[in-house]
Amino acid sequence: METRQDVLEWLNGQLRFGIKPGLERIEWMLNALQIKELPSIHVAGTNGKGSTVAFLRAMATKQGLNVGTFISPYIIQFEERIMLNGEAIREDDLVRIANRVRDCASASPETLTEFELLTVMAWLYFHEQQPDLVIWEVGLGGRLDSTNVLTRPLATVVTSIGHDHQGILGDTLEEIALEKFGIMKRGVPMFHSLTDERLIALLKRQGEAMDASIHDVTPLITSIEDGTDTVVTYDGLDPVTLGLTGHHQAYNGACAVAVARHLGWKAEAIRAGLEAAQHPGRYELISRQPRIVLDGAHNPEGIAALVEQVKIERDVTVLTAILVDKDREAMIASLQMVADVYETTFDFPRTRTKESLIADGARYVDWQEWLAAWLEAPKSETLVVTGSLYFISGVRNHLAKDIQKM
C-alpha cells in the first residue's frame, strides 16, 4: 500500500467479514507486534461518548498533555479516527502503520475484521508516538468491543444507555447496559451520567463484584441555561459556555469534569477544555445565513435530546436519513413534534431504500437535489440535518463546497 486510498480499499475489503465480537484476535496482534499499554481512559455509552471524548481531549490538551484519541465513526475524513493532539494521523504514517498491521495480520490464526485492524493501527501508532494519554471510544457495546483489550485504564466512563444495536447487544436496556459495563476493570473507577435507577443499581452491583468504585457525575451540575449556547455551572466552577451545544452536553461535560478531577488536572484546564471542545456533527452550526445545523442523532434517545434543543430554534425543517436497523417510526414521530420533516436515503449498506420509505409514508426527497433547492430559496429559518453519522458526514462534505461557516 502506497496511498491513503490503498489503505481505505484494504480496510473496506475486510468489511465482508462483518462484526466478530471477541478479543482474542486483537490480543494476538498486540502480542505479535509487542505493543505495550499506555495510560488510557476508556469511554462507552449509547449516546454522548464521542462528545465526552472531545471534552476530555480539550481538557488534556489545556493541561499540557500530549493526547491520542481513537474515535468512531469519522465525520470529516477517515484519518480523524486516529488523532494526536487533535490532529489526524498523516498519510505517510497511516500507510506505514497499515502495511505493518497487514503484514502481521497475514500470520494471524484468524482473519481480523475492519474495525479490529483499525484498532490495532491505532495501538501501533500510539505505541510509536508515546503520548501521555490515550482516550479510547468504544465502537460497539463494550465487553467484546476490540478497544476492550485495555487491562488497566486510569478511568472508565459510561455516558448513557439506550436502545441501539439490539440485534448484537440485547433486547432490553439491562442487557445492553451489561455489555457497556463490560469495560469496567478491577480496581479502576467508573464514572457515569445514568439516570435510570434500575441501571444504576445494576452498575453498582457490578462495581462491587469488580472492586471498582462507581461515581455518579450528575450532582456536579448545579445549573444549565439552554439557548443557542449552553451555559453550565459545575460544582466548584464559575458558569461556563460549553464548546458543544445542547442540554445533554452538560452531562457529557460532567463526565469529563469528574474524570479530569480524578486525574488531578487543574481547574483552569478543565474550564478551558469545556469551552474549547469541538466535535463535528454534534449540533454543529455550519452556516449562519441560512442557518444550518448538523446533528448525528441516530437512535430514539439521541433524537429525544435533539428535539429538546430544536425547541429553542424557530421555524425548523429537518432532513434525515435513518438506517434500517433503527426505530424509524418513533424517531420520525418525535421530530415531527418540532419540525417539518423530510426523509432521504444515501449510499450505505444499511440504509433504507427509496421504495421502502415511500411505502412507509415518508416525505421522500433526493437529498442533493433538495438541498440545492433549499439553499437557493430556504423554506424555513433553520435547517437541521440529522440521522446516521455516515449521512451527516456526506452532507457536511457536500455542503462544504457551497457554504462557509460565518
Side-chain angles (χ1 to χ4, degrees), residues 340-371:
D340 201 17
V341 181
Y342 294 85
E343 293 183 72
T344 191
T345 187
F346 67 110
D347 185 18
F348 189 72
R350 290 185 286 122
T351 191
R352 295 173 188 272
T353 64
K354 172 183 177 179
E355 292 73 22
S356 69
L357 286 170
I358 292 173
D360 288 338
R363 296 172 71 185
Y364 174 83
V365 295
D366 177 287
W367 70 267
Q368 292 181 329
E369 293 177 2
W370 186 88
L371 269 180

Side-chain angles (χ1 to χ4, degrees), residues 60-253:
T61 301
K62 298 296 183 181
Q63 180 69 16
L65 301 176
N66 288 316
V67 56
T69 49
F70 179 71
I71 65 168
S72 62
Y74 67 92
I75 296 295
I76 302 172
Q77 62 171 343
F78 172 84
E79 286 84 347
E80 72 195 53
R81 298 184 80 162
I82 303 172
M83 302 180 85
L84 185 64
N85 297 325
E87 297 292 329
I89 184 172
R90 299 183 312 179
E91 182 173 12
D92 57 344
D93 287 327
L94 179 74
V95 172
R96 178 176 50 78
I97 292 290
N99 279 313
R100 283 196 62 190
V101 170
R102 183 188 62 178
D103 292 345
C104 182
S106 66
S108 171
E110 289 188 68
T111 302
L112 279 79
T113 67
E114 180 259 0
F115 188 72
E116 288 173 335
L117 291 167
L118 184 58
T119 304
V120 176
M121 287 168 60
W123 272 83
L124 181 54
Y125 179 64
F126 297 140
H127 175 72
E128 291 183 355
Q129 299 296 322
Q130 289 290 301
D132 302 307
L133 175 72
V134 181
I135 308 170
W136 297 90
E137 178 185 347
V138 168
L140 177 63
R143 182 175 64 92
L144 297 176
D145 186 76
S146 62
T147 61
N148 202 30
V149 286
L150 292 166
T151 60
R152 191 165 181 82
L154 301 173
T156 59
V157 181
V158 174
T159 57
S160 64
I161 305 294
H163 293 92
D164 209 358
H165 302 293
Q166 288 100 313
I168 300 171
L169 302 181
D171 294 324
T172 69
L173 286 179
E174 287 84 355
E175 289 173 328
I176 294 170
L178 283 174
E179 290 299 316
K180 297 186 186 299
F181 297 164
I183 68 168
M184 185 184 296
K185 299 294 181 294
R186 186 165 299 279
V188 176
M190 174 171 274
F191 300 83
H192 75 90
S193 54
L194 307 180
T195 55
D196 187 321
E197 291 299 332
R198 295 171 304 159
L199 302 183
I200 294 173
L202 189 63
L203 177 57
K204 288 179 177 178
R205 289 198 296 273
Q206 189 93 339
E208 289 173 1
M210 295 284 288
D211 192 28
S213 59
I214 305 300
H215 304 270
D216 180 0
V217 307
T218 59
L220 290 177
I221 303 169
T222 59
S223 73
I224 306 172
E225 298 174 35
D226 293 315
T228 53
D229 290 323
T230 303
V231 181
V232 185
T233 303
Y234 295 103
D235 183 42
L237 290 177
D238 292 333
V240 57
T241 300
L242 300 183
L244 304 177
T245 303
H247 187 91
H248 58 292
Q249 296 293 4
Y251 295 89
N252 299 326

